[in-house]
Amino acid sequence: MIQRILYAGSFDPITNGHLDLINRAAKLGDKLIVGVIQNRSKKPFFTVEERIDMIAASTEHIKNIEIDHFEGLLADYVKQKNINVVVRGLRAAMDFEYEIHMAQMNARLYNNHVETIFLMTSPDYSFVSSSIVREVFLLNGDISGLVPDKVLEYMKNKCKRKREEIV
Ligand code: COA
């Protein structure tokens, strides 16, 4: 039986694609832990605190959620938090190649005590990623419907603050 599920990612920022997965994954276990990570291969736009705030604001309706952050190996975090399932989203066939290697490496690292399960992303969001949403937003494109309304507000406020710092 699934008890504690981890959904990890950079969430820079959380998008409606992530939220769709969070909503569905929360129904599968007793507790869903959303783990925000500083991905070493990426230069973040939002701080970890900002990303956590945006996730919290977008998931107030979910009772069995815990939002946390971690550094280092996902496998170590999984052990430390007694997680028994890691959930990942598949948006398209190309995600599969990357995900299978990650799932296999993680299975090796946590000695097969934890399963990785995959949920198919809703087709409405299969083209969405945090960086594409950020890029379109920063170039004044319309991203409404692709991120939660509260996240869009948050992004607008962050840009306004940045502009005010410059002048
Ligand atoms: N809807 C919308 N966007 C989605 C999505 C969905 N359902 N699923 C993924 N994405 C987007 C993400 O926003 C991300 O966008 P970005 O590249 O523009 O930031 C992109 O697709 C890739 O997502 P993901 O593969 O989940 O990358 P990530 O950086 O968010 O998270 C970790 C990757 C955290 C799972 C991985 O780096 C990790 O496990 N790190 C820990 C270190 C470790 O253990 N390494 C060994 C692994 S074997």
Side-chain angles (χ1 to χ4, degrees):
M1 188 176 60
I2 299 177
Q3 288 142 343
R4 290 167 69 78
I5 306 175
L6 172 68
Y7 182 39
S10 309
F11 304 107
D12 189 27
I14 180 172
T15 67
N16 279 341
H18 294 129
L19 191 57
D20 166 53
L21 227 82
I22 289 173
N23 281 325
R24 289 156 57 201
K27 293 182 191 144
L28 300 177
D30 296 329
K31 171 83 93 186
L32 173 69
I33 298 159
V34 176
V36 178
I37 187 162
Q38 192 74 56
N39 193 328
R40 283 166 190 266
S41 59
K42 292 179 182 175
K43 195 170 169 283
F45 182 73
F46 291 104
T47 64
V48 168
E49 290 73 24
E50 287 173 327
R51 287 182 256 157
I52 289 176
D53 272 0
M54 286 187 277
I55 298 170
S58 314
T59 57
E60 280 167 341
H61 58 288
I62 303 174
K63 298 282 168 267
N64 61 336
I65 197 168
E66 176 184 328
I67 304 155
D68 193 14
H69 64 97
F70 68 98
E71 284 179 31
L73 280 179
L74 183 135
D76 288 339
Y77 181 71
V78 152
K79 280 180 208 154
Q80 178 203 325
K81 295 283 280 188
N82 258 328
I83 285 158
N84 54 349
V85 166
V86 171
V87 72
R88 303 282 301 154
L90 285 181
R91 288 167 299 173
M94 65 175 189
D95 278 351
F96 181 77
E97 288 276 316
Y98 166 69
E99 292 294 340
I100 193 165
H101 294 151
M102 211 155 64
Q104 286 167 342
M105 175 57 96
N106 278 330
R108 185 175 184 274
L109 290 170
Y110 36 61
N111 301 322
N112 296 317
H113 289 312
V114 177
E115 284 296 339
T116 302
I117 63 168
F118 297 94
L119 299 181
M120 300 302 155
T121 304
S122 154
D124 296 344
Y125 307 119
S126 58
F127 61 96
V128 175
S129 70
S130 297
S131 45
I132 207 169
V133 155
R134 268 191 336 257
E135 182 176 338
V136 172
F137 173 77
L138 292 171
L139 295 171
N140 298 317
D142 180 13
I143 57 160
S144 51
L146 300 181
V147 295
D149 290 346
K150 286 177 182 168
V151 171
L152 187 52
E153 259 334 281
Y154 207 103
M155 293 173 82
K156 285 180 181 165
N157 286 335
K158 172 145 183 159
C159 282
K160 196 166 155 229
R161 281 199 308 277
K162 280 204 159 183
R163 271 197 297 272
E164 283 165 1
E165 277 165 25
I166 296 166
V167 252

